[in-house]
Amino acid sequence: MRDGLQNERATVPLRGKLRLIDALVRAGLRRIEITSFVSPKWIPQLADADEVAKHARPPEGVTFSALCPNARGLARARAARISEIAVFVSASETHNKKNVNKTVTETLAAFEDTIAPAREAGMRVRGYVSTVWGCPYEGEVDPKKAVAIASRLLAMGCYQVSLGDTIGVGTPRHTERILELVLADVPPEQIAMHMHDTRGVALANVLVGLEMGVRDFDASVGGMGGCPYAPGAAGNLATEDLVYMLRGMGVETGVDLERLWEAGKVAESIVGRALPGKVHQAGVQSLRA
Ligand code: HMG
Ligand code: MG
């Protein structure tokens, strides 16, 4: 929802957002990032975050989380009774500055006002490190930066850090090198992968992560999304493509692929454009066609 809708041209009305959340829950997804408590001036598509979070109540066993950049975002998340927030920072200075108007050091320092108070209020906190595979402004990024930031976020109280290929430039051997470095310092259960599928290589990178012990992968229904402050960033890996691959490999996800496909149709209808996901387009049963 969050990564998906923040980069759509259309601002989806509240009712449409709630319909899609409902469809995702019915598909069996248990962790859904439903919105973002960032500045409505920066991300107008999610300006109704308070309303979305107040109306969408997660059923037992399901977690709804929201992106949260600072103490003001945390106050909004608390008022909306969100149980999990995610903080975010980039591995490259220029993307971080364009995205949150602060240096990386300032951003991490400001998390002192967000992570610990959220934990004290009983919330879980996840961290994102963006531009790990490359930066739209600086090009190559030293993976050691991601390792240092991820370790810092975990030390500050995040339960997991999601490593982002924000602009979808990663390829498998590159992914292997990054994960080797990260996993030398951090256990795999504290790592997730967040691969944008700009160049069609997201699933190949996920497979590398899976074989190296990573078990959490972010995805976006239909392949919606991107980062508005990363030029050229296309959608996340489509959730249907991820689940299709995992199902074929005999990996249990708890997600019903047919219902997920139907959720993709809901997503398409609320954003009003054809979505790029492969399984979304081909259908789950396309071999019979
Ligand atoms: P700023 O303008 O530097 O903020 O923005 P400020 O602290 O100077 O405050 C300016 C105004 O914004 C004030 O209001 C604040 O109250 C308000 P005013 O006095 O002018 O009326 N404000 C807020 N309002 C609502 N909620 C808040 C909030 N904070 C301040 N939380 C800020 C700094 C971080 C707020 C801004 O840069 C921002 O919102 N950036 C968000 C950008 C964003 O959401 N990007 C996309 C998500 S990240 C992503 O997509 C990558 C990821 O998917 C992983 C990957 O793909 O790699 C996670
Ligand atoms: Mg993203």
PDB file of all heavy atoms in Angstrom, residues 99-119:
ATOM      1  N   ASN A  99      15.268  13.103  -0.137  1.00  0.00           N
ATOM      2  CA  ASN A  99      14.100  12.376   0.362  1.00  0.00           C
ATOM      3  C   ASN A  99      13.576  12.929   1.684  1.00  0.00           C
ATOM      4  O   ASN A  99      12.368  12.983   1.889  1.00  0.00           O
ATOM      5  CB  ASN A  99      14.486  10.889   0.530  1.00  0.00           C
ATOM      6  CG  ASN A  99      13.301   9.961   0.538  1.00  0.00           C
ATOM      7  OD1 ASN A  99      12.302  10.200  -0.151  1.00  0.00           O
ATOM      8  ND2 ASN A  99      13.396   8.890   1.306  1.00  0.00           N
ATOM      9  N   VAL A 100      14.495  13.327   2.579  1.00  0.00           N
ATOM     10  CA  VAL A 100      14.030  13.786   3.899  1.00  0.00           C
ATOM     11  C   VAL A 100      14.642  15.116   4.335  1.00  0.00           C
ATOM     12  O   VAL A 100      14.473  15.539   5.488  1.00  0.00           O
ATOM     13  CB  VAL A 100      14.258  12.714   5.011  1.00  0.00           C
ATOM     14  CG1 VAL A 100      13.383  11.503   4.776  1.00  0.00           C
ATOM     15  CG2 VAL A 100      15.716  12.318   5.139  1.00  0.00           C
ATOM     16  N   ASN A 101      15.387  15.751   3.418  1.00  0.00           N
ATOM     17  CA  ASN A 101      15.906  17.091   3.694  1.00  0.00           C
ATOM     18  C   ASN A 101      16.899  17.131   4.856  1.00  0.00           C
ATOM     19  O   ASN A 101      16.991  18.123   5.572  1.00  0.00           O
ATOM     20  CB  ASN A 101      14.713  18.031   3.972  1.00  0.00           C
ATOM     21  CG  ASN A 101      15.038  19.479   3.722  1.00  0.00           C
ATOM     22  OD1 ASN A 101      16.004  19.787   3.009  1.00  0.00           O
ATOM     23  ND2 ASN A 101      14.263  20.377   4.312  1.00  0.00           N
ATOM     24  N   LYS A 102      17.612  16.033   5.048  1.00  0.00           N
ATOM     25  CA  LYS A 102      18.622  15.971   6.117  1.00  0.00           C
ATOM     26  C   LYS A 102      19.806  15.141   5.626  1.00  0.00           C
ATOM     27  O   LYS A 102      19.652  14.321   4.714  1.00  0.00           O
ATOM     28  CB  LYS A 102      18.050  15.241   7.352  1.00  0.00           C
ATOM     29  CG  LYS A 102      17.088  16.025   8.205  1.00  0.00           C
ATOM     30  CD  LYS A 102      16.811  15.221   9.498  1.00  0.00           C
ATOM     31  CE  LYS A 102      15.969  15.981  10.488  1.00  0.00           C
ATOM     32  NZ  LYS A 102      14.579  16.181  10.041  1.00  0.00           N
ATOM     33  N   THR A 103      20.954  15.308   6.293  1.00  0.00           N
ATOM     34  CA  THR A 103      22.075  14.403   6.011  1.00  0.00           C
ATOM     35  C   THR A 103      21.771  13.052   6.677  1.00  0.00           C
ATOM     36  O   THR A 103      20.879  12.959   7.542  1.00  0.00           O
ATOM     37  CB  THR A 103      23.397  14.943   6.591  1.00  0.00           C
ATOM     38  OG1 THR A 103      23.262  14.981   8.017  1.00  0.00           O
ATOM     39  CG2 THR A 103      23.718  16.331   6.061  1.00  0.00           C
ATOM     40  N   VAL A 104      22.563  12.055   6.315  1.00  0.00           N
ATOM     41  CA  VAL A 104      22.383  10.725   6.923  1.00  0.00           C
ATOM     42  C   VAL A 104      22.622  10.815   8.431  1.00  0.00           C
ATOM     43  O   VAL A 104      21.849  10.269   9.237  1.00  0.00           O
ATOM     44  CB  VAL A 104      23.342   9.693   6.258  1.00  0.00           C
ATOM     45  CG1 VAL A 104      23.341   8.373   7.016  1.00  0.00           C
ATOM     46  CG2 VAL A 104      22.956   9.477   4.797  1.00  0.00           C
ATOM     47  N   THR A 105      23.670  11.528   8.826  1.00  0.00           N
ATOM     48  CA  THR A 105      23.991  11.659  10.263  1.00  0.00           C
ATOM     49  C   THR A 105      22.840  12.345  11.002  1.00  0.00           C
ATOM     50  O   THR A 105      22.419  11.900  12.078  1.00  0.00           O
ATOM     51  CB  THR A 105      25.299  12.459  10.440  1.00  0.00           C
ATOM     52  OG1 THR A 105      26.304  11.812   9.670  1.00  0.00           O
ATOM     53  CG2 THR A 105      25.730  12.535  11.884  1.00  0.00           C
ATOM     54  N   GLU A 106      22.313  13.418  10.422  1.00  0.00           N
ATOM     55  CA  GLU A 106      21.188  14.128  11.078  1.00  0.00           C
ATOM     56  C   GLU A 106      19.958  13.221  11.167  1.00  0.00           C
ATOM     57  O   GLU A 106      19.231  13.232  12.166  1.00  0.00           O
ATOM     58  CB  GLU A 106      20.806  15.378  10.264  1.00  0.00           C
ATOM     59  CG  GLU A 106      21.803  16.519  10.361  1.00  0.00           C
ATOM     60  CD  GLU A 106      21.603  17.582   9.271  1.00  0.00           C
ATOM     61  OE1 GLU A 106      20.803  17.370   8.327  1.00  0.00           O
ATOM     62  OE2 GLU A 106      22.273  18.613   9.348  1.00  0.00           O
ATOM     63  N   THR A 107      19.744  12.446  10.116  1.00  0.00           N
ATOM     64  CA  THR A 107      18.563  11.564  10.106  1.00  0.00           C
ATOM     65  C   THR A 107      18.664  10.524  11.214  1.00  0.00           C
ATOM     66  O   THR A 107      17.715  10.310  11.978  1.00  0.00           O
ATOM     67  CB  THR A 107      18.440  10.861   8.734  1.00  0.00           C
ATOM     68  OG1 THR A 107      18.449  11.850   7.720  1.00  0.00           O
ATOM     69  CG2 THR A 107      17.165  10.032   8.636  1.00  0.00           C
ATOM     70  N   LEU A 108      19.848   9.904  11.308  1.00  0.00           N
ATOM     71  CA  LEU A 108      20.020   8.878  12.342  1.00  0.00           C
ATOM     72  C   LEU A 108      19.897   9.502  13.735  1.00  0.00           C
ATOM     73  O   LEU A 108      19.272   8.922  14.631  1.00  0.00           O
ATOM     74  CB  LEU A 108      21.368   8.174  12.174  1.00  0.00           C
ATOM     75  CG  LEU A 108      21.451   7.239  10.956  1.00  0.00           C
ATOM     76  CD1 LEU A 108      22.896   6.828  10.675  1.00  0.00           C
ATOM     77  CD2 LEU A 108      20.587   5.994  11.144  1.00  0.00           C
ATOM     78  N   ALA A 109      20.446  10.697  13.895  1.00  0.00           N
ATOM     79  CA  ALA A 109      20.358  11.361  15.210  1.00  0.00           C
ATOM     80  C   ALA A 109      18.900  11.640  15.570  1.00  0.00           C
ATOM     81  O   ALA A 109      18.478  11.445  16.712  1.00  0.00           O
ATOM     82  CB  ALA A 109      21.168  12.651  15.189  1.00  0.00           C
ATOM     83  N   ALA A 110      18.109  12.065  14.570  1.00  0.00           N
ATOM     84  CA  ALA A 110      16.699  12.393  14.832  1.00  0.00           C
ATOM     85  C   ALA A 110      15.894  11.129  15.188  1.00  0.00           C
ATOM     86  O   ALA A 110      14.840  11.225  15.822  1.00  0.00           O
ATOM     87  CB  ALA A 110      16.092  13.097  13.627  1.00  0.00           C
ATOM     88  N   PHE A 111      16.392   9.967  14.786  1.00  0.00           N
ATOM     89  CA  PHE A 111      15.678   8.728  15.141  1.00  0.00           C
ATOM     90  C   PHE A 111      15.694   8.473  16.651  1.00  0.00           C
ATOM     91  O   PHE A 111      14.913   7.670  17.147  1.00  0.00           O
ATOM     92  CB  PHE A 111      16.260   7.524  14.400  1.00  0.00           C
ATOM     93  CG  PHE A 111      15.928   7.492  12.925  1.00  0.00           C
ATOM     94  CD1 PHE A 111      16.637   6.656  12.061  1.00  0.00           C
ATOM     95  CD2 PHE A 111      14.911   8.269  12.396  1.00  0.00           C
ATOM     96  CE1 PHE A 111      16.345   6.620  10.706  1.00  0.00           C
ATOM     97  CE2 PHE A 111      14.606   8.240  11.039  1.00  0.00           C
ATOM     98  CZ  PHE A 111      15.329   7.407  10.200  1.00  0.00           C
ATOM     99  N   GLU A 112      16.608   9.179  17.370  1.00  0.00           N
ATOM    100  CA  GLU A 112      16.598   9.041  18.842  1.00  0.00           C
ATOM    101  C   GLU A 112      15.230   9.468  19.389  1.00  0.00           C
ATOM    102  O   GLU A 112      14.779   8.948  20.402  1.00  0.00           O
ATOM    103  CB  GLU A 112      17.683   9.919  19.491  1.00  0.00           C
ATOM    104  CG  GLU A 112      19.112   9.613  19.052  1.00  0.00           C
ATOM    105  CD  GLU A 112      19.678   8.333  19.656  1.00  0.00           C
ATOM    106  OE1 GLU A 112      18.985   7.731  20.501  1.00  0.00           O
ATOM    107  OE2 GLU A 112      20.794   7.936  19.259  1.00  0.00           O
ATOM    108  N   ASP A 113      14.588  10.415  18.691  1.00  0.00           N
ATOM    109  CA  ASP A 113      13.271  10.907  19.142  1.00  0.00           C
ATOM    110  C   ASP A 113      12.130  10.041  18.630  1.00  0.00           C
ATOM    111  O   ASP A 113      10.964  10.358  18.849  1.00  0.00           O
ATOM    112  CB  ASP A 113      13.005  12.331  18.608  1.00  0.00           C
ATOM    113  CG  ASP A 113      14.000  13.327  19.134  1.00  0.00           C
ATOM    114  OD1 ASP A 113      14.591  13.052  20.191  1.00  0.00           O
ATOM    115  OD2 ASP A 113      14.182  14.377  18.473  1.00  0.00           O
ATOM    116  N   THR A 114      12.467   9.026  17.860  1.00  0.00           N
ATOM    117  CA  THR A 114      11.405   8.239  17.226  1.00  0.00           C
ATOM    118  C   THR A 114      11.440   6.778  17.688  1.00  0.00           C
ATOM    119  O   THR A 114      10.441   6.250  18.180  1.00  0.00           O
ATOM    120  CB  THR A 114      11.567   8.275  15.685  1.00  0.00           C
ATOM    121  OG1 THR A 114      11.830   9.612  15.282  1.00  0.00           O
ATOM    122  CG2 THR A 114      10.308   7.775  14.994  1.00  0.00           C
ATOM    123  N   ILE A 115      12.616   6.145  17.552  1.00  0.00           N
ATOM    124  CA  ILE A 115      12.664   4.694  17.781  1.00  0.00           C
ATOM    125  C   ILE A 115      12.419   4.346  19.256  1.00  0.00           C
ATOM    126  O   ILE A 115      11.501   3.578  19.575  1.00  0.00           O
ATOM    127  CB  ILE A 115      13.997   4.096  17.269  1.00  0.00           C
ATOM    128  CG1 ILE A 115      14.160   4.361  15.767  1.00  0.00           C
ATOM    129  CG2 ILE A 115      14.042   2.588  17.568  1.00  0.00           C
ATOM    130  CD1 ILE A 115      15.484   3.903  15.175  1.00  0.00           C
ATOM    131  N   ALA A 116      13.225   4.939  20.151  1.00  0.00           N
ATOM    132  CA  ALA A 116      13.069   4.579  21.574  1.00  0.00           C
ATOM    133  C   ALA A 116      11.689   4.960  22.114  1.00  0.00           C
ATOM    134  O   ALA A 116      11.023   4.123  22.752  1.00  0.00           O
ATOM    135  CB  ALA A 116      14.190   5.197  22.407  1.00  0.00           C
ATOM    136  N   PRO A 117      11.186   6.175  21.837  1.00  0.00           N
ATOM    137  CA  PRO A 117       9.827   6.494  22.329  1.00  0.00           C
ATOM    138  C   PRO A 117       8.754   5.566  21.750  1.00  0.00           C
ATOM    139  O   PRO A 117       7.796   5.214  22.448  1.00  0.00           O
ATOM    140  CB  PRO A 117       9.606   7.933  21.845  1.00  0.00           C
ATOM    141  CG  PRO A 117      10.959   8.492  21.639  1.00  0.00           C
ATOM    142  CD  PRO A 117      11.841   7.354  21.236  1.00  0.00           C
ATOM    143  N   ALA A 118       8.919   5.145  20.506  1.00  0.00           N
ATOM    144  CA  ALA A 118       7.943   4.207  19.927  1.00  0.00           C
ATOM    145  C   ALA A 118       7.993   2.873  20.673  1.00  0.00           C
ATOM    146  O   ALA A 118       6.959   2.296  21.016  1.00  0.00           O
ATOM    147  CB  ALA A 118       8.234   3.999  18.436  1.00  0.00           C
ATOM    148  N   ARG A 119       9.200   2.410  20.939  1.00  0.00           N
ATOM    149  CA  ARG A 119       9.345   1.140  21.681  1.00  0.00           C
ATOM    150  C   ARG A 119       8.719   1.261  23.073  1.00  0.00           C
ATOM    151  O   ARG A 119       8.030   0.360  23.539  1.00  0.00           O
ATOM    152  CB  ARG A 119      10.837   0.774  21.809  1.00  0.00           C
ATOM    153  CG  ARG A 119      11.526   0.472  20.473  1.00  0.00           C
ATOM    154  CD  ARG A 119      11.219  -0.938  19.988  1.00  0.00           C
ATOM    155  NE  ARG A 119      11.469  -1.923  21.014  1.00  0.00           N
ATOM    156  CZ  ARG A 119      12.638  -2.498  21.255  1.00  0.00           C
ATOM    157  NH1 ARG A 119      13.673  -2.189  20.517  1.00  0.00           N
ATOM    158  NH2 ARG A 119      12.780  -3.392  22.216  1.00  0.00           N
TER     159      ARG A 119
END
